[in-house]
Amino acid sequence: LFRSMNTTYAIEVTNAGPTAVTGARVLDIMPAELTGVSWSSTYSGGASGPTGTGNIDALVDLPVGSSILFAVAAAIRPTAFGDISNTVIVTPPAGVPDTDESNNVATDVDTYLRPGDFPLFKTVRDINGGTVDPGDILEWKVQVKGPINNTTGLGVNTDGAPPESVTNVIVNDLIPANTTYVPNSLRSEEHTSE
């Protein structure tokens, strides 16, 4: 998942019996990382209930063998980060026995992959000096700054999200045409700043 992208959830509620249910509560408080939440519902086997927006807090009727499919659509807020956890709970009405309460709660956790918010700089110089001539040795420097160094002074990144550390960043830098890589000339340095 990425910030500002759309996401969907499919929530299925079924009644395997042995008793028909009137007024079961389906509750799904949407994660704070989502915005513009809307949902629709498809009923089969005689089930019935509402359609709406925002959180799902619906009383539904489920004859034995019936089912309801809730389709949720939302956008991920631009300031979201970390995992997005969404839990739905189904509660039968008072006095209605439930032979299997283990399937009344379901949780979905999606890892939010915040796009890299760190600048990359590339410079080149002719080690021989002067203008670039055939046979000269060129030195390229590629500098990547992590998001924790790209802050506004308020302790947040320029997009409003808290700074995050990143690991396993891959930088691809292709050798330009009409140049040849000098073996064993690649080196890397790590710098940190407060």
Side-chain angles (χ1 to χ4, degrees):
L1 296 178
F2 296 94
R3 63 187 172 115
S4 300
M5 75 174 283
N6 294 328
T7 187
T8 59
Y9 294 99
I11 302 164
E12 186 174 17
V13 180
T14 61
N15 181 4
T19 307
V21 174
T22 301
R25 185 184 188 194
V26 179
L27 179 64
D28 186 356
I29 304 299
M30 297 297 158
E33 295 87 354
L34 303 182
T35 185
V37 178
S38 65
W39 51 273
S40 61
S41 43
T42 302
Y43 301 93
S44 62
S48 60
T51 292
T53 60
N55 297 325
I56 298 176
D57 191 357
L59 296 178
V60 298
D61 299 335
L62 289 155
V64 174
S66 67
S67 64
I68 305 171
L69 180 64
F70 293 92
V72 179
I76 300 174
R77 294 184 187 275
T79 54
F81 66 97
D83 290 341
I84 298 177
S85 179
N86 186 23
T87 299
V88 61
I89 302 169
V90 179
T91 306
V96 176
D98 188 347
T99 57
D100 183 7
E101 296 182 358
S102 68
N103 60 8
N104 290 359
V105 178
T107 299
D108 177 79
V109 179
D110 296 300
T111 301
Y112 166 68
L113 301 174
R114 187 166 174 258
D117 187 14
F118 41 87
L120 185 140
F121 303 96
K122 183 175 180 178
T123 58
V124 63
R125 75 179 181 102
D126 185 344
I127 292 180
N128 302 93
T131 60
V132 176
D133 295 312
D136 283 359
I137 297 178
L138 304 178
E139 177 185 70
W140 276 270
K141 287 187 178 180
V142 178
Q143 182 183 23
V144 180
K145 289 189 174 181
I148 202 160
N149 293 324
N150 185 24
T151 59
T152 63
L154 301 174
V156 296
N157 285 302
T158 53
D159 67 358
E164 298 177 59
S165 296
V166 293
T167 58
N168 300 321
V169 174
I170 298 174
V171 176
N172 289 318
D173 185 31
L174 301 178
I175 302 298
N178 300 315
T179 63
T180 303
Y181 171 70
V182 176
N184 302 315
S185 64
L186 177 66
R187 68 180 193 275
S188 64
E189 299 174 358
E190 182 177 341
H191 300 276
T192 60
S193 61
E194 296 298 325

